Amino acid sequence: MAGKSKHKKENETVKADAPESTPVESAPEATAAETGPDADLLARLEAKEKEAAENYDRYLRAVAELDNYRKRAVRDKEEAIKYGNEKLIKDILPILDSLDRALHQTSDLSARNNFEAFTQGLELIHSQILGCLERHGVVKIAAKGEVFDPEKHEALMQVQTPEMESNRVVDEYESGYTLHGRLLRPSKVSVSKNVSQDTEGQ
């Protein structure tokens, strides 16, 4: 009995002297709650990068389209200036044809002797020219007999006359014209000065 008791005490002493074992803690496992925000942020970043790339591509396309538009605008402007008088020239060509025919007739002696027919031909050409100009917005300024208007008439001289009230256009030496209401050149005229009116005023 004494031997068993002694052996038991020795076992208890060994157990008491043995160091206590420390339990090994396992590494914490990544949970969905911890990795979720990072994954969502990464996905959003990738989406924004894709969106930025698409926006940059659209920007490059817009710049290219704007450059092409500017080139077309310059080309259209150059062509408009170059061919802007095409319609006017087409309208003048028939008048030139009439003038050619009139000049051709003057080569014939009988036509030269027919002054009345030649005059009618010139009047026709003159009428055609005025009609052509009117179709393009050019209007002849009324002058003879009209009240003198310094905005439309240029006085070259003053004519004293008892037959016409003062400040009237007596004669027109060069016709004036407007283009769509804007003055191209004034009519060069003589202006009346009524002598009898001036005498009565004195």
Side-chain angles (χ1 to χ4, degrees):
M1 293 293 292
K4 290 182 179 180
S5 176
K6 183 179 180 180
H7 182 68
K8 184 177 181 181
K9 288 181 180 180
E10 289 177 355
N11 289 339
E12 290 177 354
T13 302
V14 172
K15 289 180 180 180
D17 294 338
E20 296 181 358
S21 60
T22 304
V24 179
E25 296 181 358
S26 59
E29 296 182 359
T31 62
E34 293 174 344
T35 59
D38 292 339
D40 181 61
L41 181 61
L42 182 60
R44 290 168 59 187
L45 179 60
E46 291 177 350
K48 290 298 181 182
E49 288 178 348
K50 182 180 179 181
E51 182 181 353
E54 292 175 352
N55 289 338
Y56 183 67
D57 182 64
R58 283 194 291 268
Y59 163 75
L60 293 179
R61 291 175 182 270
V63 170
E65 290 177 0
L66 179 60
D67 185 57
N68 291 334
Y69 170 77
R70 287 175 177 171
K71 290 179 180 178
R72 286 196 304 270
V74 171
R75 184 172 61 252
D76 292 344
K77 182 179 179 180
E78 290 175 350
E79 290 184 355
I81 295 173
K82 185 176 181 180
Y83 300 105
N85 295 327
E86 181 178 359
K87 191 173 186 302
L88 174 62
I89 293 172
K90 285 182 177 179
D91 284 345
I92 289 177
L93 291 179
I95 303 172
L96 184 61
D97 294 337
S98 298
L99 186 59
D100 287 339
R101 285 191 291 269
L103 292 174
H104 179 70
Q105 289 177 355
T106 59
S107 62
D108 186 355
L109 181 61
S110 61
R112 283 203 303 269
N113 293 334
N114 192 347
F115 182 75
E116 183 178 354
F118 182 72
T119 302
Q120 290 177 351
L122 290 179
E123 290 176 349
L124 175 62
I125 294 173
H126 183 264
S127 176
Q128 286 179 318
I129 292 175
L130 288 179
C132 172
L133 292 174
E134 287 179 359
R135 286 194 297 274
H136 291 273
V138 179
V139 178
K140 185 178 180 180
I141 297 173
K144 192 171 183 178
E146 299 290 326
V147 176
F148 176 76
D149 184 353
E151 297 292 329
K152 300 183 294 184
H153 305 137
E154 179 183 345
L156 299 181
M157 64 181 69
Q158 191 176 57
V159 178
Q160 294 183 353
T161 173
E163 301 175 355
M164 185 179 293
E165 63 182 12
S166 296
N167 208 37
R168 289 275 181 176
V169 175
V170 180
D171 284 311
E172 180 184 46
Y173 302 103
E174 187 175 275
S175 298
Y177 297 91
T178 60
L179 175 61
H180 299 296
R182 178 187 294 179
L183 183 68
L184 281 178
R185 74 178 192 189
S187 303
K188 294 182 179 181
V189 300
S190 60
V191 184
S192 65
K193 181 179 180 181
N194 190 294
V195 181
S196 60
Q197 287 181 347
D198 292 343
T199 304
E200 292 174 0
Q202 294 176 356

